[in-house]
Amino acid sequence: MAFRTCPPPLTLQPMVRELWLLNDGGEMSAGLPKPYVELVVSLTGRHWWRATPDGQEHLYTESWVTPLQDRPRYARAEGGRRLMGARLEPWLATALFGPLSPGDGRPPPKLHDLLGEDAASLRSALVEAPDEATAFERFGTWLERRVAESAADIAFCVDTLSDRSTRRRYAREIGVSPKRWRLLHRLDRVLRDPELARAGRSFAHLAQDHGFSDQAHLCRELMRLTGSTPSRLRRRDRNDPPHLVRQD
């Protein structure tokens, strides 16, 4: 497995966490919840998505948008897996794609259904890129154009969120409650922390570093949100993406 990230263009950095590229053999893996909406483009492979390890499979062959998830989701690929993605702030995703269905086990919407032929244009540009650097550049340029075209919607989303009066309104605009969104950010920091893989670093220290009340709280939330034990997460290969667990 090979996983690489790339910072977005400077103009997008308040809105896009990172761009990424994943290459592997397509083995079954669990995608873990994160506080970002994922725009994913398939460069090679036939991809199968399911809500649970033994659930119904859905074929995804080109590109899709994964909303904020409430638990792990599972995927495999035929013919290897080569994906490019962008992690978007939820309010940006709402401005670009409109309201997204909750990540409650329903298949993620396909990008073509949201954007029409522009989805195919993006995929063609990435597939035809002569190297990874060019692909990342083209992805960033495409996002910059879409953001410029959606400037009014983005301003509306930001104003709406900054002026929200109730948690219900926040949940409607973002897709999760403020409390859960903060929890997903804490989980994101734990999964990205290199100390997670170091056996000498206790989970108690990780809990303290990332805003959990104690070790039991951290371990309980890791189990609930990722479906994996903390020790299983610790044993992952260092080259694995932080939000992915390969299934044995």
Side-chain angles (χ1 to χ4, degrees):
M1 178 179 292
F3 180 72
R4 179 185 171 193
T5 62
C6 177
L10 285 174
T11 58
L12 298 180
Q13 289 184 9
M15 316 175 208
V16 180
R17 174 63 171 82
E18 63 198 356
L19 308 179
W20 55 265
L21 176 66
L22 171 67
N23 287 280
D24 72 356
E27 298 82 5
M28 180 69 73
S29 58
L32 306 182
K34 57 189 72 68
Y36 306 103
V37 173
E38 297 256 46
L39 166 57
V40 184
V41 180
S42 168
L43 307 184
T44 60
R46 286 166 51 87
H47 307 277
W48 297 88
W49 181 97
R50 59 178 77 173
T52 61
D54 57 353
Q56 179 184 357
E57 286 196 317
H58 303 270
L59 178 63
Y60 279 73
T61 56
E62 293 185 352
S63 53
W64 55 91
V65 177
T66 304
L68 300 180
Q69 299 291 312
D70 63 355
R71 65 194 66 185
R73 303 302 175 198
Y74 301 84
R76 65 180 179 88
E78 299 172 1
R81 179 164 44 192
R82 182 174 171 83
L83 303 174
M84 288 200 76
R87 292 191 169 126
L88 313 177
E89 293 290 349
W91 51 266
L92 174 62
T94 298
L96 294 180
F97 310 123
L100 298 173
S101 60
D104 56 4
R106 284 175 279 186
K110 297 179 180 180
L111 189 61
H112 185 274
D113 294 339
L114 300 172
L115 299 183
E117 290 305 313
D118 202 23
S121 298
L122 170 62
R123 183 173 184 272
S124 295
L126 300 183
V127 168
E128 296 167 5
D131 50 52
E132 292 181 4
T134 303
F136 278 127
E137 181 181 1
R138 290 180 179 181
F139 204 172
T141 299
W142 183 90
L143 280 169
E144 284 184 311
R145 176 176 62 80
R146 294 295 313 191
V147 165
E149 293 172 353
S150 304
D153 292 330
I154 291 170
F156 173 78
C157 288
V158 172
D159 290 343
T160 299
L161 292 175
S162 64
D163 189 40
R164 64 184 179 274
S165 58
T166 67
R167 294 183 179 182
R168 182 176 298 176
R169 183 174 182 178
Y170 184 97
R172 184 175 67 247
E173 298 294 337
I174 291 295
V176 297
S177 69
K179 181 178 179 180
R180 185 170 182 83
W181 192 61
R182 289 194 298 270
L183 176 59
L184 289 174
H185 269 284
R186 291 200 297 271
L187 173 67
D188 182 65
R189 292 194 294 269
V190 171
L191 294 174
R192 292 175 185 273
D193 191 336
E195 295 296 301
L196 176 62
R198 188 162 69 86
R201 185 66 167 173
S202 72
F203 286 105
H205 283 109
L206 285 168
Q208 183 178 21
D209 291 344
H210 297 291
F212 293 88
S213 58
D214 54 27
Q215 176 174 324
H217 182 207
L218 169 61
C219 293
R220 184 170 62 251
E221 295 295 356
L222 284 174
M223 278 287 296
R224 185 170 69 87
L225 291 171
T226 72
S228 296
T229 64
S231 59
R232 172 69 180 87
L233 293 169
R234 173 160 277 176
R235 292 196 304 270
R236 291 183 301 170
D237 190 285
R238 292 188 178 185
N239 294 324
D240 287 354
H243 301 92
L244 185 145
V245 177
R246 287 183 277 191
Q247 304 297 286
D248 298 328

